Amino acid sequence: MFGRKTKFFFLWEDIEDIQAIPPSLSTWSPSLAITLHRGRGMDAKHGAKSVESGKLKFSLQSFASFSVANRTIMALWKARSLSSESKVQIAEEQSQNNTLQSEDSGIFVGVDDSKSLQMSEVFSSTISANMNSLLEVFEGGSLEMKVMEKVGCLKYSATQWESDKPDEYQRQIHYKFSRKLSPVGGEVTGTQLKSPMPNKKGWIIEEVMELQGVLLGDFFTLHIKYQIEDLAPKQKACSVQVYLGIEWSKTTRHQKRIEKNVLSSSSARLKEMFSLASKQLSHTR
């Protein structure tokens, strides 16, 4: 893109560790951190992000599909003792959108093959604050940080809104679950898209959440849709509607139980989030 190409090579056998790094304010997108064994792969030093104790560290990002790239790279690394032909076959199988057997004997379903997402309304309320004030919950400022911390989203971070199209903005969020939200921990990487409502009196914020470190978290993504609309200006109030849905990429016999637990805990978190935001805004008036 910028007229400069960096090309380097190292062996699968040279890799000591691979970790998926969630997006942050500085990286904007998820990345893969690859560490080589001490003294290995020195021909690729010019492509390394850093060198620590003789170990080259690489940071790879900007994948067309991070989840597919992550699965493929991890599968090939774990199969590094196999023949080259076997590795190529694994890569092809990981990248295809047709069926793949999972660890839970489920089936991987490509995005194009997924059924239409069913969204359920989980929260609807009129809040005594004007729309612009309430939207501060999505602006990365002190109100958002305070509210998200209180509902159990630890180490919460959000990037700035960026616009690629007129009246359409996108940002990334990341946080870890407190034990209040998940007894076993876990974390969330999310993408939010903000656009005006058709009547131009409010905003729609759509969020896609990927869960890591939770039961079968790689089997599904959680979708949230916020609709925030300003009421008559003299009322100094706005209406809020929130919808939830789960999109499954693999089938599992635990699907109904997971849907019930995820939707229940997410609904409770969202209700608490807007309740806290309303209280915080009433204190500042």
Side-chain angles (χ1 to χ4, degrees):
M1 182 182 297
F2 300 106
R4 179 181 177 184
K5 181 186 291 186
T6 300
K7 183 182 293 186
F8 52 88
F9 304 88
F10 50 79
L11 301 175
W12 291 109
E13 291 77 8
D14 291 342
I15 299 175
E16 179 182 89
D17 185 46
I18 301 177
Q19 291 186 350
I21 308 298
S24 66
L25 292 175
S26 59
T27 61
W28 295 88
S29 62
S31 61
L32 284 177
I34 298 180
T35 303
L36 303 190
H37 291 288
R38 184 192 302 273
R40 304 289 288 274
M42 287 301 170
D43 290 343
K45 187 175 181 180
H46 63 284
K49 182 178 182 181
S50 62
V51 182
E52 297 180 14
S53 302
K55 298 180 180 180
L56 297 182
K57 293 183 177 291
F58 298 84
S59 179
L60 308 179
Q61 60 188 107
S62 299
F63 297 101
S65 173
F66 178 79
S67 59
V68 172
N70 184 29
R71 287 198 303 269
T72 302
I73 290 173
M74 290 299 294
L76 290 172
W77 179 49
K78 292 177 180 179
R80 54 191 177 275
S81 61
L82 299 178
S83 66
S84 298
E85 291 77 11
S86 298
K87 291 179 182 179
V88 170
Q89 183 179 356
I90 291 174
E92 290 176 346
E93 290 174 350
Q94 287 286 339
S95 301
Q96 287 173 350
N97 283 335
N98 54 11
T99 58
L100 286 178
Q101 292 301 313
S102 72
E103 293 178 358
D104 193 56
S105 297
I107 299 176
F108 179 84
V109 182
V111 175
D112 294 337
D113 300 323
S114 62
K115 297 179 181 179
S116 57
L117 181 65
Q118 298 295 321
M119 303 286 283
S120 303
E121 184 179 283
V122 296
F123 180 77
S124 180
S125 178
T126 298
I127 295 180
S128 299
N130 63 55
M131 180 185 66
N132 290 332
S133 295
L134 186 62
L135 282 172
E136 291 181 23
V137 177
F138 301 96
E139 291 300 327
S142 59
L143 178 62
E144 181 176 11
M145 297 303 169
K146 186 179 295 184
V147 168
M148 300 311 287
E149 181 180 356
K150 286 188 176 181
V151 299
C153 301
L154 304 179
K155 297 183 178 181
Y156 186 89
S157 64
T159 62
Q160 297 291 324
W161 289 105
E162 294 288 333
S163 178
D164 291 328
K165 301 178 182 179
D167 290 333
E168 188 173 287
Y169 306 87
Q170 185 171 309
R171 71 170 187 168
Q172 307 290 326
I173 63 172
H174 176 257
Y175 57 87
K176 294 187 176 182
F177 290 124
S178 68
R179 294 197 176 277
K180 172 183 177 181
L181 293 180
S182 173
V184 297
E187 57 188 287
V188 167
T189 299
T191 300
Q192 293 180 337
L193 183 69
K194 181 172 69 171
S195 58
M197 295 179 67
N199 61 13
K200 303 295 183 179
K201 293 182 180 180
W203 289 89
I204 295 174
I205 298 175
E206 298 175 85
E207 180 176 333
V208 179
M209 297 169 54
E210 294 188 357
L211 282 65
Q212 298 94 37
V214 300
L215 178 63
L216 303 181
D218 60 335
F219 276 48
F220 63 91
T221 54
L222 180 63
H223 293 248
I224 306 177
K225 182 178 181 180
Y226 307 87
Q227 290 186 182
I228 303 176
E229 184 174 5
D230 223 355
L231 299 178
K234 293 183 179 179
Q235 296 185 34
K236 293 183 179 180
C238 61
S239 66
V240 178
Q241 292 175 293
V242 185
Y243 301 84
L244 278 179
I246 293 181
E247 182 179 12
W248 290 89
S249 58
K250 305 176 188 178
T251 60
T252 170
R253 62 180 181 275
H254 304 296
Q255 187 165 321
K256 289 186 178 180
R257 178 165 63 90
I258 292 174
E259 282 187 350
K260 181 180 178 180
N261 292 340
V262 171
L263 293 177
S264 175
S265 60
S266 298
S267 299
R269 177 178 64 84
L270 292 165
K271 291 175 183 177
E272 184 181 7
M273 183 180 87
F274 284 104
S275 175
L276 288 169
S278 180
K279 290 179 182 178
Q280 289 290 330
L281 291 171
S282 64
H283 291 160
T284 58
R285 288 200 295 267

